[in-house]
Amino acid sequence: MKLAAVNLVGAWAIGVVDAESGTIRTAPAELGTVDDVIRGRLDLQLVADAVHGAEPRLLGEIRLGPPVQQFNRDVLCTGWNYLDHFHESAGKREGQDPVAVPAHPTFFTKGPDTVVGPHDPIAFDPTISAKWDYEAEIAIVIGRDGRSIPESTAHQHIFGYLVANDVSQRDLQRAHGGQWLKGKSIDATMPLGPWLTTADEIGAVTDLRISCELNGVELQRASAAEMAFPIPRLIAELSHGMTLRAGDVLLTGTPSGIGNAREPAVYLAEGDVLVTRVSGLGELRNTLRRVDLARAAT
């Protein structure tokens, strides 16, 4: 099932997407949200029953939000999980190059206030950073709590899959003691969606293909089979001694083609249109919009 967050007047509701027809059927808002389904507070069959007989509407007529809106913690992320991306950035990390290819996954987090919907604008402020970069990724959502999860049963803890773009500020990423949190956590910069595809709809995850276009030009393309550490390994290592909980979001890394590694470098600017696709999971289409992020929030 493909579960979307649909904006109704004053509330978010669950939409069930038929990607082939480009339509969506929406459940009543009082039924609950996608977050309720992820956490087991609402059964998928009840959702299917609720939308049965509902009038289908074209996806283009509906405003979709990020499917996950309640976060247990920061968004969990994986770095350097495609070796071509690891190698393309060699010598361009401004003193942060590792000695060798990592023997274990590289994990970091980013704040949940980064998350925006699949067609929402991406906030952009050149006074915050001069090096805005794109990173197309597959994201997973945990659907079952677990600690020290064996790699062999890791798939049982995945609720579903989404598309993400880990928009990053490279100068901030390098400026804070080698820790990436700041350069990955600027408000309203990470589109997520367009819907949450439940794990039972995905065959071989390695067949998923990722791409990213900037203003109509494809800059990233890869297969999930190219991951250095497959998703079950990521879950096993991340959960070793650390509880993962239903609703946690994990980004699984970006392939080569990022702007910072190009010659000359390609950075995002106001008005740019970023399209992020994963086969079988849908696409994000977001425009960078100037926002005064340096102004204190009220």
Side-chain angles (χ1 to χ4, degrees):
M1 193 177 291
K2 293 177 169 57
L3 303 173
V6 179
N7 186 257
L8 301 179
V9 179
W12 289 98
I14 302 170
V16 176
V17 175
D18 183 336
E20 289 188 7
S21 65
T23 61
I24 184 170
R25 298 173 188 265
T26 305
E30 55 267 24
L31 184 70
T33 66
V34 177
D35 292 288
D36 293 322
V37 180
I38 294 168
R39 288 167 172 81
R41 298 190 294 254
L42 178 59
D43 188 76
L44 274 173
Q45 186 58 54
L46 291 177
V47 175
D49 293 343
V51 302
H52 182 72
E55 188 69 25
R57 297 179 63 184
L58 293 175
L59 280 166
E61 300 174 350
I62 301 291
R63 181 193 165 196
L64 301 181
V68 181
Q69 300 190 4
Q70 297 175 11
F71 292 86
N72 304 318
R73 63 175 107 211
D74 278 3
V75 177
L76 305 167
C77 305
T78 312
W80 299 331
N81 201 28
Y82 291 77
L83 292 183
D84 54 357
H85 168 52
F86 176 83
H87 292 304
E88 74 173 345
S89 297
K92 299 174 183 177
R93 300 186 180 103
E94 301 177 40
Q96 293 186 7
D97 280 277
V99 175
V101 174
H104 298 275
T106 299
F107 295 120
F108 62 95
T109 68
K110 59 191 296 158
D113 286 338
T114 59
V115 176
V116 296
H119 305 119
D120 291 341
I122 294 170
F124 174 76
D125 185 346
T127 72
I128 292 287
S129 166
K131 296 182 177 181
W132 295 67
D133 206 348
Y134 51 86
E135 294 191 9
E137 307 206 17
I138 297 169
I140 67 170
V141 177
I142 298 297
R144 175 182 167 191
D145 294 0
R147 183 180 67 200
S148 298
I149 300 165
E151 191 171 340
S152 61
T153 59
H155 65 281
Q156 298 175 9
H157 294 261
I158 300 173
F159 182 88
Y161 298 81
L162 314 96
V163 186
N165 200 302
D166 179 23
V167 172
S168 305
Q169 294 69 42
R170 299 300 183 194
D171 41 7
L172 296 184
Q173 189 178 349
R174 315 301 184 206
H176 294 276
Q179 302 297 316
W180 297 353
L181 174 69
K182 178 62 178 179
K184 298 282 191 172
S185 294
I186 300 303
D187 286 355
T189 53
M190 190 188 84
L192 185 68
W195 40 76
L196 177 56
T197 302
T198 54
D200 61 293
E201 287 208 3
I202 304 300
V205 173
T206 51
D207 290 340
L208 298 178
R209 300 197 63 82
I210 310 162
S211 68
C212 183
E213 291 180 4
L214 177 60
N215 300 326
V217 178
E218 186 176 86
L219 298 179
Q220 290 184 287
R221 174 170 285 274
S223 164
E226 298 171 49
M227 289 183 184
F229 304 102
I231 290 172
R233 173 81 179 275
L234 298 181
I235 292 173
E237 293 228 14
L238 186 59
S239 71
H240 189 60
M242 169 183 160
T243 301
L244 298 181
R245 300 199 179 279
D248 283 345
V249 176
L250 171 63
L251 273 59
T252 61
T254 197
S256 63
I258 63 166
N260 190 68
R262 291 180 172 270
E263 296 287 352
V266 175
Y267 294 119
L268 303 174
E270 181 179 6
D272 281 350
V273 178
L274 201 58
V275 179
T276 314
R277 296 187 180 94
V278 178
S279 59
L281 303 184
E283 75 169 34
L284 314 173
R285 184 176 295 268
N286 307 88
T287 301
L288 277 78
R289 178 187 295 172
R290 178 65 186 265
V291 176
D292 186 359
L293 293 167
R295 184 178 60 189
T298 55

